[in-house]
């Protein structure tokens, strides 16, 4: 914990106390604070020779399904070693206190659900979920130690992670719900996201255009910073718990 006090304006505190609809959008920075490496950083060791598109695209899966399956099996293992951080838990606390709370995340690690967040829109999917590439049936169990990619019990198709790959569109129900939440919220938090990955980045601007108060928490400035009403540069795992304490403590 940094010793510097973080100043939250009386205006922001009052706004959050009475807020009925709030959106929090989270990105890679929130996962990194839990010690999880980013997509590119995760391409260490034997994975370093591959381009992201060679491991995370429908073409890659068609060309070499076992390679792609193994890459995700390896990433699932990495997630098992990490835990939600205080920022994840502060968002759970905010959800308990704000009636219309929507958490939108670009992260695929499932840490928000692990922390206890309920209303979560996973725009890019979740690597913990596995589904059939052909019929979309979800698999609860599978064997990671087989010579080939495990198959769907329903149709025999290959199983794949339930994530959005390069060249695939975002899940429509989640995206529509995210856009609707952004357009109708009073306060929009952009947390640990560079603000350049579309369409997630446009959500904050949609909220801003509809008059929502924009709060940004990120390590460094982003394209959103000049539009934000409240900007905090630092770790969400330090700033969010203090904000929750200041507002509801
Ligand atoms: Zn199937």
């Amino acid at each position: 914990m940094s010793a510097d006090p973080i100043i939250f304006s009386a205006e922001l505190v009052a706004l959050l106390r009475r807020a009925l609809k709030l959106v929090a959008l989270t990105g890679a920075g929130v996962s990194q604070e839990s010690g999880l490496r980013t997509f590119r950083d995760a391409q260490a060791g034997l994975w370093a020779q591959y381009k992201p598109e060679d491991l995370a695209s429908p073409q890659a899966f068609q060309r070499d399904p076992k390679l792609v399956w193994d890459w995700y099996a390896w990433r699932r293992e990495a997630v098992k070693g990490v835990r939600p951080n205080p920022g994840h838990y502060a968002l759970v606390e905010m959800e308990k206190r704000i009636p219309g709370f929507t958490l939108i995340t670009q992260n695929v690690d499932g840490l928000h659900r692990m922390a206890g967040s309920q209303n979560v829109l996973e725009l890019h999917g979740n690597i913990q979920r596995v589904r059939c590439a052909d019929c979309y049936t979800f698999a609860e169990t599978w064997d990671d130690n087989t010579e080939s990619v495990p198959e769907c019990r329903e149709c025999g198709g290959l199983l794949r992670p339930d994530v959005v790959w390069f060249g695939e569109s975002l899940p429509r129900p989640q995206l529509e719900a995210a856009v609707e939440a952004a357009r109708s919220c009073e306060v929009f938090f952009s947390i640990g996201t560079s603000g350049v990955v579309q369409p997630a980045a446009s959500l904050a601007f949609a909220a801003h255009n509809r008059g929502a108060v924009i709060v940004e928490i990120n390590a460094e400035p982003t394209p959103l910073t000049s539009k934000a009403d409240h900007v905090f540069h630092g770790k969400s795992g330090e700033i969010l718990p203090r904000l929750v304490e200041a507002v509801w403590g």
Side-chain angles (χ1 to χ4, degrees):
M1 285 285 236
S2 138
D4 300 329
I6 305 165
I7 306 301
F8 302 110
S9 71
E11 184 195 355
L12 177 61
V13 170
L15 174 72
L16 291 174
R17 278 188 189 145
R18 64 167 195 268
L20 297 175
K21 293 187 96 176
L22 184 146
V23 166
L25 169 71
T26 66
V30 174
S31 296
Q32 277 173 278
E33 287 180 39
S34 277
L36 208 61
R37 290 177 289 185
T38 62
F39 189 100
R40 275 169 205 281
D41 289 345
Q43 285 180 276
L46 75 127
W47 300 109
Q49 59 182 304
Y50 300 102
K51 295 198 290 280
E53 309 85 81
D54 293 339
L55 298 167
S57 70
Q59 294 78 10
F61 190 65
Q62 211 162 28
R63 191 166 54 234
D64 192 345
K66 180 66 172 150
L67 176 78
V68 173
W69 177 267
D70 285 348
W71 155 246
Y72 281 94
W74 186 75
R75 290 182 65 199
R76 275 194 295 274
E77 278 305 308
V79 170
K80 278 184 192 161
V82 303
R83 289 288 165 264
N85 65 62
H88 290 105
Y89 291 114
L91 289 165
V92 177
E93 293 304 313
M94 287 171 76
E95 181 168 23
K96 287 179 188 161
R97 289 162 170 95
I98 296 170
F101 179 93
T102 306
L103 181 52
I104 304 169
T105 188
Q106 298 164 281
N107 300 332
V108 297
D109 46 54
L111 287 174
H112 286 299
R113 288 186 193 280
M114 204 188 290
S117 286
Q118 302 287 317
N119 190 22
V120 186
L121 299 170
E122 293 171 321
L123 288 185
H124 295 171
N126 186 325
I127 59 168
Q128 308 289 358
R129 282 196 308 266
V130 167
R131 66 169 172 87
C132 175
D134 293 335
C135 77
Y136 225 96
T137 299
F138 286 91
E140 297 302 326
T141 57
W142 61 87
D143 186 359
D144 263 332
N145 299 311
T146 49
E147 291 286 304
S148 52
V149 175
E151 292 172 0
C152 169
R153 291 204 178 97
E154 296 296 321
C155 77
L158 297 180
L159 294 182
R160 58 162 282 180
D162 188 32
V163 296
V164 177
W165 281 335
F166 291 102
E168 292 185 320
S169 19
L170 270 58
R172 182 175 264 209
Q174 279 85 347
L175 183 59
E176 285 177 353
V179 170
E180 172 55 30
R183 283 181 178 164
S184 61
C185 69
E186 304 156 68
V187 191
F188 187 103
F189 275 71
S190 179
I191 308 165
T193 172
S194 60
V196 293
V197 178
Q198 295 294 353
S202 64
L203 293 171
F205 291 98
H208 174 75
N209 291 341
R210 292 293 184 106
V213 171
I214 308 296
V215 183
E216 183 178 61
I217 301 173
N218 198 49
E220 59 239 8
T222 74
L224 179 66
T225 305
S226 64
K227 298 266 194 269
D229 300 276
H230 303 273
V231 177
F232 301 98
H233 288 144
K235 291 184 173 175
S236 55
E238 292 176 4
I239 294 162
L240 281 172
R242 293 194 199 186
L243 179 61
V244 167
E245 176 67 22
V247 176
W248 295 287

